[in-house]
Amino acid sequence: MTPVRSAARALLSGIFVVSGIRNLAKPEPLVAKAKPVTDRVTPLIERVDPRLPTDPRTLVRVNAVAQLAGGLLLATGRCTRPAAAVLAASLVPTTIAGHPFWSVDDPADRRNQQTHFLKNIGLFGGLLLAAVDTQGRPGVGWRARRAVDDGLRSVDRGRRSVGRAVRSARRDARIAVRSASIGRHLPG
């Protein structure tokens, strides 16, 4: 891993580690803000498995665990692509619940919430980049395209080789036929 990637991942993950620890230890300040989002997500969670928790406090803590674990994995360079994807997914409800600038009436508070909302959108973009970063190695898509291209080239080479063999066999057959017909017309 290059020093730039290491530094970028550590810088990107810091906010998630700190927020994860804070929100895991004391989820209460976020429960009221999270309730409108958790109320909308609860039917989906119950459809997946009714045994899963749906109360806002537990969901805030689950999100905190996801952010803490994802942040630590990203910072340490372990499972960076899945960690970045988990962090990006955890950022969606966090941003919607934490910074709903569209519902704020006070202009100063609205600007503040909008700034935090846009900051989170920027973090989301960075996480998407980290989620698709292959560290300079070819990704699965490139490898699949390369395998298909190699297969097509191999088939094309085989087709050309068979064509040459067929032309050579025709030529040899014509020569054999001519030799045989010449041999029949010679006085013997």
Side-chain angles (χ1 to χ4, degrees), residues 11 60 100 117 125:
L11 293 170
V60 166
F117 184 88

Side-chain angles (χ1 to χ4, degrees), residues 33 95 98-119:
K33 281 186 165 185
T95 303
H99 307 294
F101 68 90
W102 53 89
S103 64
V104 177
D105 294 328
D106 178 43
D109 193 27
R110 183 183 187 93
R111 276 192 304 277
N112 184 39
Q113 290 300 323
Q114 188 175 32
T115 298
H116 286 295
F117 184 88
L118 293 172
K119 171 205 47 133

Side-chain angles (χ1 to χ4, degrees), residues 5 9 80-81 128-136:
R5 277 192 174 90
R9 287 181 179 144
T80 56
R81 294 174 73 190
L128 290 180
L129 285 173
V132 299
D133 180 27
T134 61
Q135 299 181 36

Side-chain angles (χ1 to χ4, degrees), residues 14-72:
I15 185 80
F16 296 102
V17 173
V18 171
S19 295
I21 291 170
R22 184 181 304 135
N23 298 338
L24 186 59
K26 294 182 182 179
E28 290 76 21
L30 299 176
V31 171
K33 281 186 165 185
K35 186 148 177 41
V37 174
T38 60
D39 287 348
R40 294 173 108 183
V41 174
T42 295
L44 298 172
I45 294 172
E46 288 174 341
R47 216 177 306 152
V48 170
D49 189 345
R51 296 172 295 174
L52 292 173
T54 56
D55 64 290
R57 184 176 191 278
T58 303
L59 293 177
V60 166
R61 294 186 88 193
V62 167
N63 195 44
V65 168
Q67 288 186 349
L68 176 60
L72 289 173

